[in-house]
Amino acid sequence: MLDLLKAAFTAGTIVAIYRVGVAAFFTPATRWEDRVLASLIRLSLAFCIALAGGVLFVWPSRRNPDRGKPFLTALPVQMLLWASVLMTILFVASLYLTCGENGWAHPNCLNCS
């Protein structure tokens, strides 16, 4: 039963990370502030799912082969941390690239959509 829950929470983490990426990059006709807010809301849900999955991965049970390992080495937690860092870098790079020739120096950079 524990293995099925691990698989379910890992799949749930993947779906939640996917939803964060969709909210950050593929929401048409929205300002970047709205995309950041929607992404943060979905990221908080993804953190909840990943943390619950991480607890299951390090659950102190005799049948659990991963018991006693550090919490941050659990698969859902690592997936979420890596995806969050990479999506943040990509989002900042996309803001920079869409704001004109000079990037952040463009006068209307924060008004880009």
Side-chain angles (χ1 to χ4, degrees), residues 65-77:
D66 298 327
R67 69 181 180 275
K69 289 187 178 179
F71 179 72
L72 290 177
T73 62
L75 180 62
V77 176

Side-chain angles (χ1 to χ4, degrees), residues 13 50-55 71-82:
T13 301
L51 291 178
V55 167
F71 179 72
L72 290 177
T73 62
L75 180 62
V77 176
Q78 282 191 351
M79 284 190 319
L80 182 70
L81 293 177
W82 278 105

Side-chain angles (χ1 to χ4, degrees), residues 92-93 95-110 112:
V92 170
L95 279 179
Y96 178 79
L97 292 173
T98 59
C99 286
E101 310 171 354
N102 301 327
W104 294 115
H106 193 277
N108 296 324
C109 182
L110 295 179
C112 291

Side-chain angles (χ1 to χ4, degrees), residues 22-84:
V22 167
F25 299 108
F26 301 112
T27 307
T30 56
R31 296 179 310 153
W32 70 272
E33 295 97 347
D34 297 334
R35 291 190 311 229
V36 168
L37 182 63
S39 297
L40 288 176
I41 291 170
R42 290 183 178 159
L43 188 63
S44 64
L45 177 64
F47 267 108
C48 292
I49 294 170
L51 291 178
V55 167
L56 283 176
F57 268 75
V58 297
W59 191 263
S61 172
R62 283 189 222 153
R63 292 184 166 187
N64 189 4
D66 298 327
R67 69 181 180 275
K69 289 187 178 179
F71 179 72
L72 290 177
T73 62
L75 180 62
V77 176
Q78 282 191 351
M79 284 190 319
L80 182 70
L81 293 177
W82 278 105
S84 298

